Every structure is written in structure tokens, then in C-alpha cells.
Amino acid sequence: LGEILITLLYIPRTSELTITLVKCRNLKAKDITGYSDPYVKIWLHRGDKRVEKKKTQVHKKTLDPIFNETFQFVVSWERIRETSLVVTVMDFDTVGRNEAIGKVILSSRSGPTETKHWGDMLSKPRSPISQWHRLKTF
Ligand SMILES: [Ca+2]
């Protein structure tokens, strides 16, 4: 499905959780052109509840988009453990519905690489931590 490079930064004193969607590589082609029109959607979850949504701009006809877009959420230290970021790479379509290419769930209860990234972010507060993630299906 492809991979995504994400940078996470947490500042406990100000409760700022910052995520940067840097870029993707080798995304799956969703269009007959052999490309996709990728953008990234982020949902902040608290427990099972969807709290806040952000999204990047659409990049037309590419499988290796460079986003370099940063988003900030306010999450207190007390709530960070029940928080997750659901990052979905989407294919924009002018006709019909936009389709998901793949996703990554960043939290303290996710896959090994996702959990490690989240843990590194918490154990090194105020330092931006970058990591590649393999996109998964739903
Ligand atoms: Ca498309």
C-alpha cells in the first residue's frame, strides 16, 4: 500500500501534540492513470471517541507525495495514554467517493512500530521524532 514518514512532537508543559506528515513513498495506484491523488486525513481519538479532524491538501497524480504539513492538537499529559491519532492516506476523486489507500494508528496500543514511535515521543518530550510507517488496510 505504501509507506508514510511521520514526525511526532509532544510538549507536556503546554499540552501540545504536533504531527507532521512529511511524505509518502510507493503508494498504491487507485486511478486508471496508474497514479493516485493522495491527501492525508487525521482523526484524534480519545478512547473510542473521535474528537478532532484535520487534513492535508490534495497532491494530484503521484505515488510519492511530499506534504510537509504540520498539525497541532491540545492533549494533556493525563489524557495522552487514552489518545490515538488515526492517520489515513486517501485518494481524492472528482467523480465518486474518495477512497482510502491505507492507514496507520499511532497510540500506546497499536502495532510494534506505531507503539515504539508513540513511546519515543513520550520518553523524549520536546524532541521531534521521525519514523516511517507501513500503511495498513482497515
Ligand atoms: Ca483519484
Side-chain angles (χ1 to χ4, degrees):
L1 301 175
E3 290 174 283
I4 184 166
L5 180 61
I6 296 173
T7 304
L8 290 174
L9 167 68
Y10 185 61
I11 303 177
R13 192 179 54 82
T14 56
S15 300
E16 286 170 310
L17 173 59
T18 304
I19 178 168
T20 303
L21 290 324
V22 184
K23 57 184 175 180
C24 293
R25 63 184 179 200
N26 306 320
L27 288 179
K28 189 179 178 182
K30 285 283 188 186
D31 296 333
I32 48 167
T33 56
Y35 292 99
S36 291
D37 308 297
Y39 68 97
V40 183
K41 199 169 72 176
I42 309 170
W43 268 106
L44 178 85
H45 287 224
R46 189 176 299 138
D48 295 331
K49 223 174 105 201
R50 299 213 278 195
V51 179
E52 200 178 340
K53 182 191 179 182
K54 314 258 189 197
K55 61 182 182 181
T56 69
Q57 294 191 312
V58 175
H59 291 243
K60 293 274 178 75
K61 275 189 85 175
T62 176
L63 300 177
D64 305 280
I66 296 171
F67 296 106
N68 277 328
E69 286 192 55
T70 296
F71 301 97
Q72 219 162 52
F73 299 93
V74 175
V75 181
S76 66
W77 179 255
E78 290 73 31
R79 288 211 141 132
I80 198 80
R81 257 162 231 296
E82 51 169 342
T83 296
S84 48
L85 290 172
V86 179
V87 176
T88 310
V89 181
M90 302 286 299
D91 169 47
F92 173 83
D93 278 322
T94 38
V95 183
R97 276 178 77 182
N98 300 341
E99 236 187 309
I101 298 174
K103 74 170 174 180
V104 172
I105 301 174
L106 300 166
S107 75
S108 52
R109 294 174 299 272
S110 190
T113 51
E114 295 90 337
T115 307
K116 180 182 183 300
H117 198 181
W118 195 258
D120 287 349
M121 169 187 83
L122 296 180
S123 62
K124 294 168 201 150
R126 300 180 308 280
S127 315
I129 315 280
S130 300
Q131 196 178 305
W132 281 100
H133 294 274
R134 206 171 283 275
L135 295 172
K136 294 173 178 171
T137 44
F138 292 79

